[in-house]
Amino acid sequence: MKSLFLALSLIFSSVGYAQQILSPNKKIKVVVEMQQAGQGGSGQVHFKVLYKKGSAYIEVLPSSPLGISREDQQFVSNLRLIGEGKAVAVHDKYEMVTGKRKRCENFGTEKTFSYKNPSDQPLDITFKVYNDGVAFRYSFPNRKDSSFSIIDETTAYVVPTGSERWIQPYNQAYEDFFPFSTTGTNEKNNNDWGYPALYKVNSQPLWVLISEAGISKENCAARLNNKENKNVYKVSYPSAKKKLLGGAVSSLPWKSQWHVMIIGELADLVQSTLITDVSEPSAFKDTKWIEPGSAAWVYWAYNHGSKDYKKVIEYIDLAVKMRWPYVLIDWEWDVMSNGGKLEDALGYAKSKGIKTLLWYNSGTDWLDPTPVDRLLTKDKREKEFSWLRSIGVSGIKVDFFAGDQQDMMKYYIDILEDAAKYHLLVNFHGATVPRGWARTYPNLMTTEAVYGAEWYNNNSILTDKAAAHNTTLPFTRNIIGSMDYTPVTFSNSQHAHKTSFAHELALAVVFESGLQHFADRPSAYYNLSEGPLNFLKGFPTTWDETKLIQGYPGEMIVIARRKGKLWYVAGLNGKDTPQTLDLNLKFLGNSEYALQLFKDGADTKSITSETKSIKKSGTLQIQCLPGGGFAGVVSSL
């Protein structure tokens, strides 16, 4: 009894207070507590997250520090709790133009904790605890005319020791692999890691995906760093770079971006819309002009832009034959030759009923593909966007952004706002990962921020890693927003494929993107047999519903997406050995259905087609080659 009393005394002396916030379904519990001297600092706020499995709560995030610092003062240690808001129910319904689900609905509990630092300055920390995750952010609520700098956060995520994790080493284009690790070791980039960060809670069937959302012009974009402790991932801000400031500069009041943790089983993560749930609603009401769709893309096959008029015409003709509404005219369109100029290509596309998208250099000073420096200022954008509308262009692809600094965040948002005025769709390349802007600015169709098929042009690494990489992306990068991987390539560009033709066909379903750029040369599509060819014709790029059927990062995925009354299904084998994938049909209704299935044939370059009757109660076992896969369409009988 004496030892128990001593243990309890230590607990209560180290924790000043502890408040709980529960999700509406009671599955997720957040505990906010004040750590006292000798236990992680004096008066420092910590939080931990638990998830209910059966009758018990499992700790998915051990006690982790909170705090933020301005240039003039810190809000980390010696904080005093001065008030707590009431727990408020959150219930939001909205529709997305792009994404994994058209109609979104979320339920959560919101609570704000108010603190003061030793200088008697206020800090609020607001938590939203949803049925599928947790979001929190900092705010300075007082008003002051002068500007100030936010230089750092103490926020960190303490990952349980030994956790399996998949996180990409940071680079400003977010083009890297998500290597499997149990140690968190990163020899690159000073132990900087890019969002999103996925980890599995030890032996439990529970997963956490960490990212952020709701970034405004008042924020920079953050990353993670575990240099000090391999299991502690600290939120860190980008440093100053050339003309770009580090941290964030603003006036009061100020709010940070939302720090987001999606939590649950793998299906909960894949199907979650939490990134857009916590983002601001649409900035404009009229979205009827926004039309997502598939596009033919000239760059991949030739590792070059759109300088050659005759090749551009070939891709316009491909879009016509495949019933894809768009063609992307890539870099060097301003010096187009060999039979015609840009205006000729645009006129030809219009005569064929094909809409056009044009590429732009963001204005970088380290790469100079043209056109360059036409968007850097508002006056330049207004002039360029007005001209684009006058010549009938439907959208832009903007490439080569310079980093995650606040100036770049403002630049992204300025482009989206100005493009919307002229009814232009936007695709960001060489860019930061999605952070919820697709809800606020629904003309944002997709973002690259992925080690995609374009890398077959650059070196041979993807040849051996593609299958495992393609089965990791649905559990990491693609969860947080549309992903312009530029998939479904059957021929070889500069370096060879090892994935099968059926695997490549399946990427159209597995990878979600509001603009799906089909990257291969026209002949590669024309040479497909009738079934796979028709499967790709008029392919949808927006979905009413998404269901994860089966999967594990780097090993396999089976997924189903609904468009109207049709279900599109697909599976990928991420291993270099044969594997059987299970297509459980419980996502269907009680009717009878027909499945048109395309799967691996005798070798990687053959696809077998078959049609069969199926029911909700059934499960299909589909044999896949190493790096193989399958795709199909389910329709009611």
Side-chain angles (χ1 to χ4, degrees):
M1 181 63 70
K2 184 176 180 181
S3 60
L4 176 61
F5 175 79
L6 178 60
L8 290 173
S9 298
L10 288 173
I11 291 173
F12 286 112
S13 65
S14 64
V15 178
Y17 73 93
Q19 288 291 332
Q20 297 181 359
I21 314 166
L22 287 173
S23 61
N25 64 5
K26 305 295 190 293
K27 281 191 173 182
I28 298 177
K29 179 194 296 184
V30 171
V31 179
V32 181
E33 57 191 22
M34 184 76 79
Q35 297 281 351
Q36 300 299 334
Q39 296 290 327
S42 175
Q44 184 174 8
V45 184
H46 282 60
F47 79 113
K48 59 184 176 182
V49 182
L50 301 96
Y51 190 93
K52 193 172 186 179
K53 289 291 289 183
S55 59
Y57 278 99
I58 297 167
E59 191 173 71
V60 298
L61 182 80
S63 184
S64 299
L66 298 170
I68 191 166
S69 295
R70 298 199 318 232
E71 192 173 41
D72 60 330
Q73 55 195 290
Q74 58 87 14
F75 296 81
V76 178
S77 60
N78 296 310
L79 295 179
R80 292 178 289 116
L81 179 69
I82 61 170
E84 298 177 26
K86 292 183 179 180
V88 178
V90 175
H91 181 206
D92 191 16
K93 289 183 179 181
Y94 61 96
E95 290 193 2
M96 289 289 294
V97 175
T98 59
K100 63 189 76 171
R101 181 178 297 109
K102 180 179 180 180
R103 292 180 175 85
C104 301
E105 184 174 14
N106 58 73
F107 299 87
T109 305
E110 178 177 344
K111 189 170 186 178
T112 298
F113 298 86
S114 297
Y115 303 90
K116 282 191 175 181
N117 72 356
S119 300
D120 214 34
Q121 294 300 303
L123 169 71
D124 287 349
I125 306 178
T126 299
F127 282 87
K128 289 186 176 182
V129 184
Y130 290 89
N131 288 340
D132 60 348
V134 175
F136 62 94
R137 72 178 177 191
Y138 303 100
S139 60
F140 299 122
N142 54 328
R143 296 186 175 276
K144 189 176 182 181
D145 293 333
S146 59
S147 63
F148 63 92
S149 297
I150 304 100
I151 58 173
D152 195 16
E153 289 190 26
T154 314
T155 313
Y157 301 94
V158 178
V159 173
T161 302
S163 293
E164 297 178 350
R165 60 201 86 176
W166 294 259
I167 319 175
Q168 63 176 321
Y170 176 81
N171 67 64
Q172 68 183 27
Y174 291 84
E175 295 180 42
D176 211 326
F177 296 101
F178 288 79
F180 168 80
S181 174
T182 57
T183 63
T185 302
N186 173 11
E187 300 300 332
K188 296 183 180 180
N189 305 336
N190 194 38
N191 287 91
D192 277 341
W193 302 89
Y195 289 122
L198 175 70
Y199 71 89
K200 183 176 182 291
V201 184
N202 293 333
S203 60
Q204 301 294 332
L206 290 175
W207 302 75
V208 178
L209 187 79
I210 303 170
S211 197
E212 61 181 13
I215 286 181
S216 73
K217 296 180 184 181
E218 307 301 313
N219 310 125
C220 61
R223 65 193 71 159
L224 299 172
N225 184 282
N226 69 338
K227 185 177 182 179
E228 298 299 323
N229 184 323
K230 295 300 183 288
N231 294 315
V232 179
Y233 291 83
K234 177 188 173 299
V235 173
S236 61
Y237 289 171
S239 302
K241 175 179 148 182
K242 294 185 179 180
K243 297 179 181 179
L244 302 177
L245 298 175
V249 177
S250 182
S251 57
L252 298 177
W254 177 86
K255 294 178 180 179
S256 76
Q257 68 274 39
W258 287 102
H259 303 64
V260 179
M261 302 174 66
I262 306 173
I263 303 168
E265 298 181 357
L266 274 179
D268 298 318
L269 272 62
V270 171
Q271 295 162 199
S272 174
T273 58
L274 194 54
I275 296 296
T276 51
D277 290 348
V278 300
S279 297
E280 291 296 313
S282 177
F284 45 90
K285 293 182 179 180
D286 177 19
T287 59
K288 293 180 181 178
W289 57 274
I290 302 173
E291 297 180 356
S294 298
W297 184 43
V298 66
Y299 171 85
W300 185 85
Y302 305 101
N303 198 21
H304 218 282
S306 298
K307 188 175 181 179
D308 190 326
Y309 171 79
K310 290 183 179 178
K311 282 189 170 59
V312 172
I313 296 303
E314 290 179 9
Y315 281 82
I316 294 172
D317 290 340
L318 171 65
V320 172
K321 292 178 180 178
M322 298 302 292
R323 301 201 301 273
W324 298 336
Y326 293 101
V327 65
L328 172 59
I329 302 177
D330 217 272
W331 60 291
E332 294 185 319
W333 53 259
D334 55 329
V335 290
M336 191 181 294
S337 60
N338 193 24
K341 297 185 180 298
L342 173 66
E343 289 77 10
D344 302 310
L346 296 177
Y348 184 78
K350 184 177 181 180
S351 73
K352 297 293 184 177
I354 299 299
K355 292 176 282 191
T356 50
L357 310 165
L358 292 189
W359 181 97
Y360 283 86
N361 189 325
S362 72
T364 180
D365 58 2
W366 72 90
L367 288 169
D368 60 358
T370 61
V372 65
D373 191 15
R374 296 196 185 190
L375 307 180
L376 272 174
T377 68
K378 186 171 184 61
D379 287 345
K380 288 181 178 181
R381 287 192 297 274
E382 295 276 358
K383 179 181 178 182
E384 195 72 11
F385 293 167
S386 177
W387 172 67
L388 291 178
R389 288 312 298 162
S390 72
I391 60 176
V393 171
S394 296
I396 56 174
K397 170 184 174 181
V398 189
D399 211 341
F400 305 136
F401 287 89
D404 281 331
Q405 286 80 2
Q406 181 185 4
D407 290 332
M408 283 293 102
M409 300 301 106
K410 184 177 184 301
Y411 189 23
Y412 284 117
I413 295 171
D414 285 343
I415 290 173
L416 291 168
E417 290 177 343
D418 291 340
K421 297 175 189 175
Y422 293 91
H423 287 192
L424 292 171
L425 309 181
V426 177
N427 170 14
F428 288 137
H429 255 235
T432 196
V433 292
R435 287 174 162 90
W437 289 333
R439 180 182 180 187
T440 312
Y441 306 100
N443 55 324
L444 176 57
M445 293 288 95
T446 191
T447 303
E448 186 186 26
V450 65
Y451 198 100
E454 182 181 78
W455 279 90
Y456 282 113
N457 289 326
N458 301 333
N459 56 49
S460 60
I461 296 175
L462 196 58
T463 298
D464 291 323
K465 289 192 173 184
H469 182 52
N470 293 346
T471 51
T472 303
L473 292 173
F475 305 108
T476 51
R477 163 63 182 85
N478 212 182
I479 286 178
I480 64 172
S482 287
M483 181 178 75
D484 196 17
Y485 180 100
T486 60
V488 192
T489 53
F490 303 102
S491 67
N492 292 326
S493 179
Q494 309 304 302
H495 300 278
H497 285 79
K498 283 189 177 180
T499 51
S500 74
F501 276 23
H503 181 112
E504 289 296 315
L505 188 71
L507 296 180
V509 181
V510 175
F511 292 161
E512 182 274 313
S513 181
L515 286 173
Q516 191 73 284
H517 290 96
F518 290 102
D520 212 337
R521 49 182 54 84
S523 60
Y525 297 112
Y526 299 154
N527 289 336
L528 292 172
S529 59
E530 183 179 6
L533 181 67
N534 288 334
F535 177 77
L536 292 177
K537 286 183 176 179
F539 196 85
T541 64
T542 60
W543 307 101
D544 297 317
E545 195 174 353
T546 293
K547 296 286 186 182
L548 177 67
I549 309 302
Q550 180 189 26
Y552 198 91
E555 296 185 5
M556 72 177 84
I557 183 170
V558 179
I559 199 166
R561 301 190 192 270
R562 181 175 63 83
K563 182 68 173 181
K565 295 182 178 180
L566 297 178
W567 280 97
Y568 289 76
V569 296
L572 303 176
N573 178 9
K575 296 182 178 181
D576 57 6
T577 57
Q579 187 172 190
T580 299
L581 301 183
D582 292 336
L583 176 57
N584 189 313
L585 301 171
K586 64 182 179 181
F587 61 91
L588 296 174
N590 293 319
S591 304
E592 291 191 357
Y593 299 86
L595 168 64
Q596 187 179 24
L597 182 66
F598 310 105
K599 60 182 182 179
D600 291 325
D603 56 50
T604 60
K605 298 186 186 310
S606 61
I607 299 176
T608 299
S609 302
E610 61 181 88
T611 300
K612 57 177 63 183
S613 297
I614 58 174
K615 293 183 178 180
K616 179 178 181 177
S617 59
T619 296
L620 299 180
Q621 293 186 321
I622 302 171
Q623 303 292 328
C624 295
L625 294 173
F630 71 87
V633 184
V634 178
S635 56
S636 298
L637 288 175

